[in-house]
Amino acid sequence: MDLDAREPLDTALLRDLLCEPHGPLRRLLVVERSTSTNTQLAAEVAADPQAWPAPALLVAEHQEAGRGRAGRSWETPPRAALTASLLVRPQVPPERLGWLPLLAGLATVTALRATLGVQAVAKWPNDVLVVTDEPELPGWGTARKIAGILTEVLPDGVVIGVGLNVSQTPEELPVPTAVSVLRAGGATVDRTVILTALAESFVSVLGRWTAAGGDVVASGLADEVLAVSATVGASVRVELAGGDELLGTATGLAPDGALLVEDASGRVVTVHSGDVHHLRLN
């Protein structure tokens, strides 16, 4: 793809659609470059909290050193992806914050399905996948990763970062297990349209959650998270902290959003963190 064909975000239109008084955001900032939108937003909130009323969104046209979970790097060509971080200050009990990555996954899947016609699914705890017509890969089948989510709790709020591959060609994707909206046959690669859908979906999902005091069952969100999950019900291999490994079937989610895995002996293990690999996903 011709890089010159990748249009910049329409900041004026985004502010009109997404910011008060017409939209749900209280601040939107689009920057040309950022090493990491999560890192930049966290630093700006720490320096001047009053300048960042929640919900607020920071978007980078080009993220130069994006961070994934466990410190992994994430890179993309300029204007080929959406890299954004949302600041929220949810008034919910702290023990319910573990649901935020799963709710962010639900919001991303919802936006991709409704706006782009891309049949995305969520992989616990923070990836979004698409089943493609690509050749099968071990442990992936024909699924590929289209988006990643990184949630970080701050002293004054929570930052939810999203990196979504939009117009990358196969040569520009960092690994064979990645895919872009373009490769997945999405209805549009207009990042202004996609960002609007994502922001509205996030605010809607998180609004329902906070209105219920962070109760995912009372809000109806627990069932919706399960409905889009590719992990629950799958055979998995989990790499746990310390190098231990767990093999079994992901049977559900704990009240705090942790993954429940039943091993061959029938023992159910609660996984709060770890790398989850689907043994096969089609």
mmCIF file of all heavy atoms in Angstrom, residues 169-197:
data_model
loop_
_atom_site.group_PDB
_atom_site.id
_atom_site.type_symbol
_atom_site.label_atom_id
_atom_site.label_comp_id
_atom_site.label_asym_id
_atom_site.label_seq_id
_atom_site.Cartn_x
_atom_site.Cartn_y
_atom_site.Cartn_z
ATOM 1 N N THR A 169 -0.151 -4.179 5.123
ATOM 2 C CA THR A 169 -0.052 -5.278 4.166
ATOM 3 C C THR A 169 0.617 -6.462 4.868
ATOM 4 O O THR A 169 1.191 -6.306 5.949
ATOM 5 C CB THR A 169 0.789 -4.863 2.964
ATOM 6 O OG1 THR A 169 2.116 -4.568 3.414
ATOM 7 C CG2 THR A 169 0.192 -3.618 2.289
ATOM 8 N N PRO A 170 0.579 -7.653 4.260
ATOM 9 C CA PRO A 170 1.252 -8.795 4.895
ATOM 10 C C PRO A 170 2.718 -8.533 5.191
ATOM 11 O O PRO A 170 3.243 -8.977 6.224
ATOM 12 C CB PRO A 170 1.074 -9.916 3.860
ATOM 13 C CG PRO A 170 -0.175 -9.561 3.140
ATOM 14 C CD PRO A 170 -0.176 -8.062 3.061
ATOM 15 N N GLU A 171 3.390 -7.792 4.309
ATOM 16 C CA GLU A 171 4.808 -7.514 4.510
ATOM 17 C C GLU A 171 5.049 -6.580 5.692
ATOM 18 O O GLU A 171 6.144 -6.572 6.272
ATOM 19 C CB GLU A 171 5.411 -6.892 3.244
ATOM 20 C CG GLU A 171 5.398 -7.795 2.020
ATOM 21 C CD GLU A 171 4.015 -7.918 1.382
ATOM 22 O OE1 GLU A 171 3.165 -7.024 1.608
ATOM 23 O OE2 GLU A 171 3.796 -8.914 0.663
ATOM 24 N N GLU A 172 4.058 -5.783 6.047
ATOM 25 C CA GLU A 172 4.212 -4.811 7.131
ATOM 26 C C GLU A 172 3.808 -5.357 8.492
ATOM 27 O O GLU A 172 4.118 -4.754 9.509
ATOM 28 C CB GLU A 172 3.378 -3.563 6.830
ATOM 29 C CG GLU A 172 3.881 -2.759 5.651
ATOM 30 C CD GLU A 172 2.941 -1.639 5.261
ATOM 31 O OE1 GLU A 172 1.704 -1.832 5.351
ATOM 32 O OE2 GLU A 172 3.435 -0.573 4.861
ATOM 33 N N LEU A 173 3.112 -6.480 8.514
ATOM 34 C CA LEU A 173 2.712 -7.059 9.786
ATOM 35 C C LEU A 173 3.917 -7.682 10.474
ATOM 36 O O LEU A 173 4.748 -8.316 9.824
ATOM 37 C CB LEU A 173 1.610 -8.099 9.568
ATOM 38 C CG LEU A 173 0.269 -7.513 9.121
ATOM 39 C CD1 LEU A 173 -0.656 -8.597 8.601
ATOM 40 C CD2 LEU A 173 -0.397 -6.742 10.262
ATOM 41 N N PRO A 174 4.040 -7.522 11.792
ATOM 42 C CA PRO A 174 5.279 -7.906 12.476
ATOM 43 C C PRO A 174 5.510 -9.406 12.593
ATOM 44 O O PRO A 174 6.655 -9.850 12.661
ATOM 45 C CB PRO A 174 5.130 -7.262 13.857
ATOM 46 C CG PRO A 174 3.647 -7.167 14.058
ATOM 47 C CD PRO A 174 3.076 -6.884 12.709
ATOM 48 N N VAL A 175 4.429 -10.179 12.650
ATOM 49 C CA VAL A 175 4.545 -11.630 12.835
ATOM 50 C C VAL A 175 3.507 -12.329 11.978
ATOM 51 O O VAL A 175 2.476 -11.736 11.615
ATOM 52 C CB VAL A 175 4.352 -12.026 14.319
ATOM 53 C CG1 VAL A 175 5.523 -11.562 15.168
ATOM 54 C CG2 VAL A 175 3.042 -11.473 14.858
ATOM 55 N N PRO A 176 3.707 -13.603 11.647
ATOM 56 C CA PRO A 176 2.733 -14.328 10.822
ATOM 57 C C PRO A 176 1.375 -14.502 11.486
ATOM 58 O O PRO A 176 0.382 -14.779 10.802
ATOM 59 C CB PRO A 176 3.409 -15.692 10.595
ATOM 60 C CG PRO A 176 4.854 -15.472 10.855
ATOM 61 C CD PRO A 176 4.930 -14.408 11.897
ATOM 62 N N THR A 177 1.324 -14.348 12.801
ATOM 63 C CA THR A 177 0.058 -14.539 13.524
ATOM 64 C C THR A 177 -0.765 -13.256 13.610
ATOM 65 O O THR A 177 -1.776 -13.218 14.301
ATOM 66 C CB THR A 177 0.330 -15.068 14.945
ATOM 67 O OG1 THR A 177 1.274 -14.212 15.597
ATOM 68 C CG2 THR A 177 0.896 -16.479 14.883
ATOM 69 N N ALA A 178 -0.337 -12.193 12.936
ATOM 70 C CA ALA A 178 -1.063 -10.925 12.959
ATOM 71 C C ALA A 178 -1.869 -10.740 11.685
ATOM 72 O O ALA A 178 -1.564 -11.309 10.636
ATOM 73 C CB ALA A 178 -0.089 -9.765 13.130
ATOM 74 N N VAL A 179 -2.903 -9.911 11.783
ATOM 75 C CA VAL A 179 -3.727 -9.565 10.628
ATOM 76 C C VAL A 179 -4.181 -8.121 10.795
ATOM 77 O O VAL A 179 -4.167 -7.584 11.909
ATOM 78 C CB VAL A 179 -4.942 -10.521 10.498
ATOM 79 C CG1 VAL A 179 -5.999 -10.214 11.565
ATOM 80 C CG2 VAL A 179 -5.560 -10.477 9.104
ATOM 81 N N SER A 180 -4.560 -7.481 9.707
ATOM 82 C CA SER A 180 -5.077 -6.119 9.750
ATOM 83 C C SER A 180 -6.531 -6.108 9.282
ATOM 84 O O SER A 180 -7.025 -7.088 8.715
ATOM 85 C CB SER A 180 -4.239 -5.202 8.851
ATOM 86 O OG SER A 180 -4.331 -5.615 7.494
ATOM 87 N N VAL A 181 -7.199 -4.991 9.525
ATOM 88 C CA VAL A 181 -8.566 -4.819 9.024
ATOM 89 C C VAL A 181 -8.592 -4.997 7.510
ATOM 90 O O VAL A 181 -9.502 -5.623 6.950
ATOM 91 C CB VAL A 181 -9.111 -3.437 9.421
ATOM 92 C CG1 VAL A 181 -10.443 -3.152 8.724
ATOM 93 C CG2 VAL A 181 -9.272 -3.334 10.938
ATOM 94 N N LEU A 182 -7.577 -4.459 6.840
ATOM 95 C CA LEU A 182 -7.484 -4.597 5.383
ATOM 96 C C LEU A 182 -7.456 -6.056 4.970
ATOM 97 O O LEU A 182 -8.226 -6.486 4.101
ATOM 98 C CB LEU A 182 -6.223 -3.882 4.884
ATOM 99 C CG LEU A 182 -5.920 -3.992 3.386
ATOM 100 C CD1 LEU A 182 -6.945 -3.216 2.583
ATOM 101 C CD2 LEU A 182 -4.508 -3.490 3.094
ATOM 102 N N ARG A 183 -6.593 -6.852 5.603
ATOM 103 C CA ARG A 183 -6.460 -8.263 5.264
ATOM 104 C C ARG A 183 -7.681 -9.071 5.682
ATOM 105 O O ARG A 183 -7.974 -10.106 5.083
ATOM 106 C CB ARG A 183 -5.212 -8.844 5.933
ATOM 107 C CG ARG A 183 -3.915 -8.340 5.357
ATOM 108 C CD ARG A 183 -3.670 -8.887 3.972
ATOM 109 N NE ARG A 183 -3.489 -10.342 3.984
ATOM 110 C CZ ARG A 183 -3.529 -11.101 2.903
ATOM 111 N NH1 ARG A 183 -3.757 -10.560 1.726
ATOM 112 N NH2 ARG A 183 -3.341 -12.410 2.998
ATOM 113 N N ALA A 184 -8.385 -8.610 6.690
ATOM 114 C CA ALA A 184 -9.562 -9.335 7.179
ATOM 115 C C ALA A 184 -10.827 -8.998 6.391
ATOM 116 O O ALA A 184 -11.901 -9.531 6.689
ATOM 117 C CB ALA A 184 -9.786 -9.035 8.666
ATOM 118 N N GLY A 185 -10.702 -8.102 5.410
ATOM 119 C CA GLY A 185 -11.852 -7.761 4.577
ATOM 120 C C GLY A 185 -12.839 -6.821 5.225
ATOM 121 O O GLY A 185 -14.048 -6.877 4.942
ATOM 122 N N GLY A 186 -12.347 -5.943 6.096
ATOM 123 C CA GLY A 186 -13.227 -4.984 6.765
ATOM 124 C C GLY A 186 -13.888 -4.025 5.797
ATOM 125 O O GLY A 186 -13.360 -3.747 4.714
ATOM 126 N N ALA A 187 -15.033 -3.509 6.177
ATOM 127 C CA ALA A 187 -15.817 -2.650 5.293
ATOM 128 C C ALA A 187 -15.105 -1.338 4.969
ATOM 129 O O ALA A 187 -15.372 -0.726 3.934
ATOM 130 C CB ALA A 187 -17.181 -2.361 5.921
ATOM 131 N N THR A 188 -14.207 -0.886 5.853
ATOM 132 C CA THR A 188 -13.480 0.355 5.606
ATOM 133 C C THR A 188 -12.157 0.312 6.355
ATOM 134 O O THR A 188 -12.039 -0.386 7.371
ATOM 135 C CB THR A 188 -14.278 1.587 6.053
ATOM 136 O OG1 THR A 188 -13.535 2.786 5.761
ATOM 137 C CG2 THR A 188 -14.558 1.558 7.546
ATOM 138 N N VAL A 189 -11.162 1.047 5.848
ATOM 139 C CA VAL A 189 -9.923 1.252 6.584
ATOM 140 C C VAL A 189 -9.779 2.732 6.953
ATOM 141 O O VAL A 189 -8.690 3.204 7.267
ATOM 142 C CB VAL A 189 -8.687 0.771 5.789
ATOM 143 C CG1 VAL A 189 -8.678 -0.746 5.673
ATOM 144 C CG2 VAL A 189 -8.609 1.438 4.422
ATOM 145 N N ASP A 190 -10.889 3.451 6.930
ATOM 146 C CA ASP A 190 -10.913 4.850 7.345
ATOM 147 C C ASP A 190 -10.768 4.888 8.867
ATOM 148 O O ASP A 190 -11.690 4.520 9.605
ATOM 149 C CB ASP A 190 -12.225 5.506 6.912
ATOM 150 C CG ASP A 190 -12.270 6.998 7.195
ATOM 151 O OD1 ASP A 190 -11.716 7.431 8.225
ATOM 152 O OD2 ASP A 190 -12.884 7.734 6.397
ATOM 153 N N ARG A 191 -9.612 5.333 9.335
ATOM 154 C CA ARG A 191 -9.343 5.279 10.778
ATOM 155 C C ARG A 191 -10.218 6.230 11.579
ATOM 156 O O ARG A 191 -10.489 5.991 12.759
ATOM 157 C CB ARG A 191 -7.858 5.553 11.042
ATOM 158 C CG ARG A 191 -6.947 4.438 10.515
ATOM 159 C CD ARG A 191 -5.484 4.734 10.764
ATOM 160 N NE ARG A 191 -5.129 6.045 10.263
ATOM 161 C CZ ARG A 191 -4.496 6.977 10.977
ATOM 162 N NH1 ARG A 191 -4.126 6.732 12.220
ATOM 163 N NH2 ARG A 191 -4.212 8.148 10.449
ATOM 164 N N THR A 192 -10.675 7.312 10.963
ATOM 165 C CA THR A 192 -11.585 8.218 11.655
ATOM 166 C C THR A 192 -12.902 7.516 11.961
ATOM 167 O O THR A 192 -13.446 7.614 13.074
ATOM 168 C CB THR A 192 -11.825 9.489 10.825
ATOM 169 O OG1 THR A 192 -10.574 10.173 10.627
ATOM 170 C CG2 THR A 192 -12.795 10.426 11.529
ATOM 171 N N VAL A 193 -13.415 6.777 10.993
ATOM 172 C CA VAL A 193 -14.652 6.012 11.194
ATOM 173 C C VAL A 193 -14.451 4.942 12.256
ATOM 174 O O VAL A 193 -15.284 4.766 13.168
ATOM 175 C CB VAL A 193 -15.105 5.374 9.868
ATOM 176 C CG1 VAL A 193 -16.279 4.412 10.092
ATOM 177 C CG2 VAL A 193 -15.492 6.448 8.865
ATOM 178 N N ILE A 194 -13.344 4.220 12.151
ATOM 179 C CA ILE A 194 -13.098 3.113 13.082
ATOM 180 C C ILE A 194 -12.891 3.632 14.502
ATOM 181 O O ILE A 194 -13.411 3.068 15.471
ATOM 182 C CB ILE A 194 -11.892 2.279 12.618
ATOM 183 C CG1 ILE A 194 -12.152 1.681 11.232
ATOM 184 C CG2 ILE A 194 -11.595 1.167 13.616
ATOM 185 C CD1 ILE A 194 -10.937 1.018 10.603
ATOM 186 N N LEU A 195 -12.123 4.718 14.654
ATOM 187 C CA LEU A 195 -11.878 5.269 15.987
ATOM 188 C C LEU A 195 -13.174 5.755 16.618
ATOM 189 O O LEU A 195 -13.398 5.573 17.821
ATOM 190 C CB LEU A 195 -10.862 6.416 15.910
ATOM 191 C CG LEU A 195 -10.511 7.059 17.251
ATOM 192 C CD1 LEU A 195 -9.909 6.050 18.212
ATOM 193 C CD2 LEU A 195 -9.549 8.233 17.045
ATOM 194 N N THR A 196 -14.028 6.370 15.833
ATOM 195 C CA THR A 196 -15.319 6.819 16.365
ATOM 196 C C THR A 196 -16.116 5.636 16.898
ATOM 197 O O THR A 196 -16.673 5.688 18.010
ATOM 198 C CB THR A 196 -16.126 7.540 15.273
ATOM 199 O OG1 THR A 196 -15.380 8.682 14.818
ATOM 200 C CG2 THR A 196 -17.471 7.990 15.798
ATOM 201 N N ALA A 197 -16.149 4.550 16.130
ATOM 202 C CA ALA A 197 -16.878 3.358 16.565
ATOM 203 C C ALA A 197 -16.267 2.763 17.825
ATOM 204 O O ALA A 197 -16.986 2.357 18.754
ATOM 205 C CB ALA A 197 -16.904 2.327 15.442
#
